[in-house]
Amino acid sequence: MSPSFDASKSLTTLDQDSTLVAVIEMSQTKWLIAATVPGFERNPLKKLDADPDSVLRLLRRWRSEAIQAGREVRRIVVAYEAGRDGFWLARWLQARAVEAYVIHPSSVAVSREHRRAKTDRLDTELLMRAFLGWLRGEKRHCSMAAIPTIDEEEARRPNRERDNLVRERTRIVNRIKAILARFGIRAFKPNLRKAAEKLEALHTAEGMPLPERSRAELRRNLGRLHLLREQIHEIEQERLRQLSVVPDTEKGPLAMVRLLARISGVGIETADMLVNEILSRGLRDRRAVARYAGLTGAPDESGQRRREKGLARAGNARVRYGMILLAWRFLQFQKDSALAHWFCARTADGRGGTRKTMIVALARKLLIAFWRLVTTGEIPTGVALRPV
């Protein structure tokens, strides 16, 4: 996206007499396309196979029909909701001189009736109303997602893959422990390197050897566990190799990772996640940073009722979860920092509810401090850094 891109409204004046506007309701096999075409009294609606070439041919055909009706189409604008297909279609259309946008699904207002009619046709009408309002420059109709490049999407894959592998490793370890617990065995540690060898010597609480089928299942689980450890190690080594070859003068995501990893208490994995998920996105200010991470409040006010419903949870869940964990760790490794003193002063009453509330505030302040560090070089007050 260009630096002037605003997710809340369009900065380009909309001339509906010369603009072909289309929205796409996407599924795995079929796409429903609705459009507003200059010179057309009706709003065309067409269902196609999930094929981008068919979409491009249809848009060009509508443009030709508009020209035959005496209207000049100088701009073609297409939008669809973010979902399973990601951003590839937007990049594909942009490469073919079609202005494409991706709508945040949660930003489109829908009817809150319990049993409302919902069809693809009604969804396209809803998207079209929201998209036209956004194109007119009116706020609060919908919000657009910044379309990442392929390189930016690829940079997120190692950390996300490692996170999935770690979760799978935890599930297998818990599965092994659950199988052994049925035989009264609780001291076995699946994470040990020689766990497969010690498995053969295990006996039940009654002193009998493990049944053969259960032992075979445990062997297979240990084999998967060994494979997962190798894959996690491969990802970690490749990341370290990339960081080691980055020149000190280079500026970019890898340089940001190295800078964040110098902070005591921040590891390579956490630094890589923060940089590729949020800090390298070019967010405009600290409010946008906190809002994207979902670390802002959700007030609920009506009449005399005033209450706080907790975190908005509308942002990046990985960043939010990682920052709350990092905030607790930050208090252990950075006890002399200004942020740690700020947290201790506001939780002096010793109540658990206060600490739970303020740790979220600390996570928000810490994320903003990291954003300033990687963008302006401003080191948070009192934060200890590791040697270069």
Side-chain angles (χ1 to χ4, degrees), residues 28-101:
Q28 294 188 20
T29 57
K30 296 290 183 179
W31 292 348
L32 184 64
I33 307 176
T36 299
V37 185
F40 281 31
E41 295 183 0
R42 60 180 179 85
N43 293 328
L45 188 69
K46 184 72 173 178
K47 179 171 284 190
L48 302 172
D49 292 332
D51 176 33
D53 291 316
S54 300
V55 174
L56 189 60
R57 286 195 297 269
L58 180 62
L59 294 174
R60 289 173 175 173
R61 192 191 80 189
W62 282 339
R63 182 178 61 183
S64 300
E65 293 176 0
I67 293 175
Q68 293 176 2
R71 299 296 182 89
E72 181 183 2
V73 176
R74 295 191 293 268
R75 184 184 180 195
I76 300 178
V77 188
V78 178
Y80 62 92
E81 282 186 310
R84 176 177 175 270
D85 285 271
F87 301 94
W88 71 268
L89 180 59
R91 290 192 295 263
W92 190 88
L93 290 171
Q94 288 175 351
R96 287 155 180 81
V98 176
E99 199 174 330
Y101 298 94

Side-chain angles (χ1 to χ4, degrees), residues 100-238:
Y101 298 94
V102 180
I103 303 174
H104 275 296
S106 60
S107 68
V108 180
V110 297
S111 173
R112 294 193 291 181
E113 297 176 5
H114 179 60
R115 291 193 175 216
R116 66 181 181 91
K118 185 187 182 305
T119 64
D120 288 347
R121 179 183 61 80
L122 294 176
D123 288 345
T124 56
E125 292 178 1
L126 189 64
L127 285 179
M128 181 61 76
R129 287 197 298 270
F131 188 40
L132 285 174
W134 186 87
L135 289 173
R136 287 193 295 266
E138 302 172 7
K139 287 192 173 184
R140 302 188 182 281
H141 280 277
C142 63
S143 180
M144 297 297 169
I147 300 173
T149 64
I150 293 180
D151 291 338
E152 290 172 343
E153 287 194 331
E154 281 294 296
R156 301 184 192 134
R157 296 316 312 165
N159 188 272
R160 293 188 178 187
E161 182 187 4
R162 183 187 179 279
D163 183 62
N164 292 332
L165 293 176
V166 169
R167 292 175 186 271
E168 181 64 23
R169 182 182 64 184
T170 303
R171 282 194 291 267
I172 292 177
V173 169
N174 292 338
R175 194 180 307 149
I176 292 173
K177 290 182 178 180
I179 294 172
L180 293 174
R182 293 188 294 110
F183 300 105
I185 303 172
R186 299 182 179 275
F188 185 78
K189 297 181 179 179
N191 285 319
L192 295 177
R193 292 186 178 274
K194 295 184 178 180
E197 300 176 9
K198 294 187 176 184
L199 176 65
E200 304 301 327
L202 285 181
H203 289 75
T204 65
E206 295 88 348
M208 300 173 58
L210 281 177
E212 186 55 37
R213 291 179 180 176
S214 296
R215 194 187 297 272
E217 182 182 0
L218 289 169
R219 289 195 199 100
R220 288 189 286 269
N221 281 319
L222 287 174
R224 285 194 286 269
L225 192 60
H226 177 70
L227 176 60
L228 288 173
R229 279 200 297 262
E230 289 183 343
Q231 292 178 343
I232 292 172
H233 180 71
E234 180 182 351
I235 294 173
E236 292 172 347
Q237 292 301 115
E238 176 61 22

